[in-house]
Amino acid sequence: MTTRPPVASARPGRVVVSHGRDAVVLDDSGNRVHCRLQGRRLAVVCGDRVRWTPAQTEGGTGIIGEVLPRSTELVRINLRGEREAVAANLTQLVAVVAPVPAPDFGLCDRYLAAAEWAGLKACIAANKSDLPDAEGLLDAGLDDFARLGYPVVRASKRAPDGAAALALRLAGETSVLVGQSGVGKSSLTNLLVPGVAAAVAEVTRASESGRHTTTTSSLYRLPAGGELIDSPGVRDFAPPLPEPRDVGGGYREIAAAAGGCRFRDCLHHHEPGCAVAAAAEAGTIAPRRLASYRQLLALAEEMARRAPRVRR
Ligand SMILES: Nc1nc2c(ncn2[C@@H]2O[C@H](COP(=O)(O)OP(=O)(O)OP(=O)(O)O)[C@@H](O)[C@H]2O)c(=O)[nH]1
Ligand SMILES: [Mg+2]
Ligand SMILES: [Zn+2]
């Protein structure tokens, strides 16, 4: 009679770090398991729900055999023009800005539009509030976002309870911190997640010299419930674009004003009777936001011209 080795059964897990063919998975008991991806076709990102099997591999003790469908995802277009998921199963995007490095509001617009298209909540964390905003540039931009209904929370690692307001926003959500390199995403993570100090300190040290310090996204459990993903800083963010007629859905004020346009299919270029253009002239829509919308619209139209049928 032959006895077979017991077949280990697949278990649920959550990807908390992913790099190439390797990932760290949090199992149901909160243990971190270093896993390899099975096969060439599997790919995971931070936040993915997976099924994994205990197994001794070169780099760890598990193999991920299956990625469960994502409820939401944040996707970017990489330098090769391909779709690339940044994080999965999110409920909220937090765009982090600071007085230094100088804020890039166009970048915020693109992140917020991506959140709208992906059905994520969104808010802005105005970090380093201990520093003076010399040009008033940050405050002016933040006012624009607050008027649109995006919560703006101030934060600082140099103030007592400097992340308390943000902590309230994060409770119960799965949030990703995004933004330029050096705005303080990892420092905020450090404040919000007790016990990860070591892991963050190791990477923040190098940031004093102004380099991109965080190189891989990491997911942490928050003490008040919910999860936080610290992501690497970016110079730019190109979201995958919907059909031209849907681009306005990424801009709340434009979507709201569009109902007043003379033509139902108005794209708010320079069509006659455009309520969006009129609102921008009247000052109720920030001209900067309209320009930012038109930039994405032009790209979406360019894509539609190039590949009218293969587009999703
Ligand atoms: N004054 C001040 N400095 C801060 C604050 N938060 C972070 N910093 C500094 O800003 C620099 C960058 O901080 P990080 O937390 O590494 O920034 P990051 O957004 O994670 O950067 P990347 O990982 O490169 O994307 C460090 O020198 C921090 O000490 C703050 O609230 N106030
Ligand atoms: Mg960082
Ligand atoms: Zn219009």
Side-chain angles (χ1 to χ4, degrees):
M1 201 177 81
T2 56
T3 51
R4 292 181 179 200
V7 179
S9 59
R11 305 162 183 203
R14 191 78 188 278
V15 173
V16 294
V17 182
S18 156
H19 29 86
R21 310 303 301 160
D22 295 293
V24 180
V25 166
L26 209 60
D27 74 6
D28 275 353
S29 323
N31 301 311
R32 293 166 72 90
V33 187
H34 288 260
C35 289
R36 235 332 114 79
L37 291 174
Q38 189 175 54
R40 287 268 128 211
R41 264 174 306 176
L42 275 190
V44 296
V45 293
C46 208
D48 261 322
R49 296 197 169 84
V50 296
R51 296 190 63 79
W52 64 278
T53 316
Q56 209 57 49
T57 67
E58 283 160 56
T61 50
I63 291 181
I64 296 173
E66 187 186 356
V67 186
L68 303 185
R70 295 169 180 166
S71 59
T72 60
E73 56 180 7
L74 178 66
V75 178
R76 66 174 188 145
I77 302 296
N78 66 20
L79 290 174
R80 292 186 297 278
E82 303 154 346
R83 285 171 62 92
E84 195 175 277
V86 175
N89 300 311
L90 305 165
T91 62
Q92 179 166 254
L93 176 141
V94 181
V96 185
V97 292
V100 274
D104 179 347
F105 296 118
L107 178 66
C108 284
D109 291 339
R110 291 189 286 285
Y111 272 123
L112 294 174
E116 299 289 345
W117 294 324
L120 306 177
K121 292 185 186 178
C123 66
I124 316 268
N127 197 28
K128 309 195 190 181
S129 62
D130 55 288
L131 298 179
D133 171 14
E135 312 286 321
L137 194 67
L138 185 60
D139 290 334
L142 294 176
D143 287 347
D144 281 345
F145 292 122
R147 261 199 300 278
L148 300 175
Y150 292 108
V152 174
V153 291
R154 312 259 164 191
S156 169
K157 75 168 187 182
R158 306 227 190 275
D161 278 337
L166 184 56
L168 289 177
R169 284 270 148 213
L170 301 179
E173 307 285 346
T174 298
S175 307
V176 62
L177 299 180
V178 294
Q180 294 153 272
S181 186
V183 290
K185 299 176 295 298
S186 299
S187 302
L188 284 173
T189 304
N190 213 350
L191 284 180
L192 291 157
V193 192
V196 297
V200 176
E202 173 199 330
V203 288
T204 40
R205 249 201 311 277
S207 77
E208 313 283 349
S209 61
R211 278 179 294 164
H212 288 253
T213 47
T214 305
T215 53
T216 348
S217 296
S218 298
L219 181 147
Y220 304 96
R221 288 195 170 153
L222 292 163
E227 296 154 322
L228 183 64
I229 298 175
D230 179 22
S231 75
V234 297
R235 279 208 188 79
D236 203 354
F237 168 71
L241 295 170
E243 298 290 332
R245 66 181 139 80
D246 295 325
V247 172
Y251 290 74
R252 289 180 176 179
E253 71 280 45
I254 291 174
C261 295
R262 184 179 308 163
F263 303 113
R264 260 189 58 191
D265 57 356
C266 186
L267 289 175
H268 330 303
H269 279 296
H270 297 283
E271 294 91 331
C274 176
V276 170
E281 270 160 42
T284 48
I285 287 183
R288 190 193 64 71
R289 290 269 299 172
L290 180 55
S292 153
Y293 156 81
R294 282 178 175 155
Q295 233 173 31
L296 285 195
L297 176 66
L299 288 175
E301 288 178 323
E302 172 67 26
M303 275 173 60
R305 263 195 299 277
R306 261 194 275 162
R309 240 159 291 156
V310 291
R311 296 190 67 243
R312 290 150 290 102

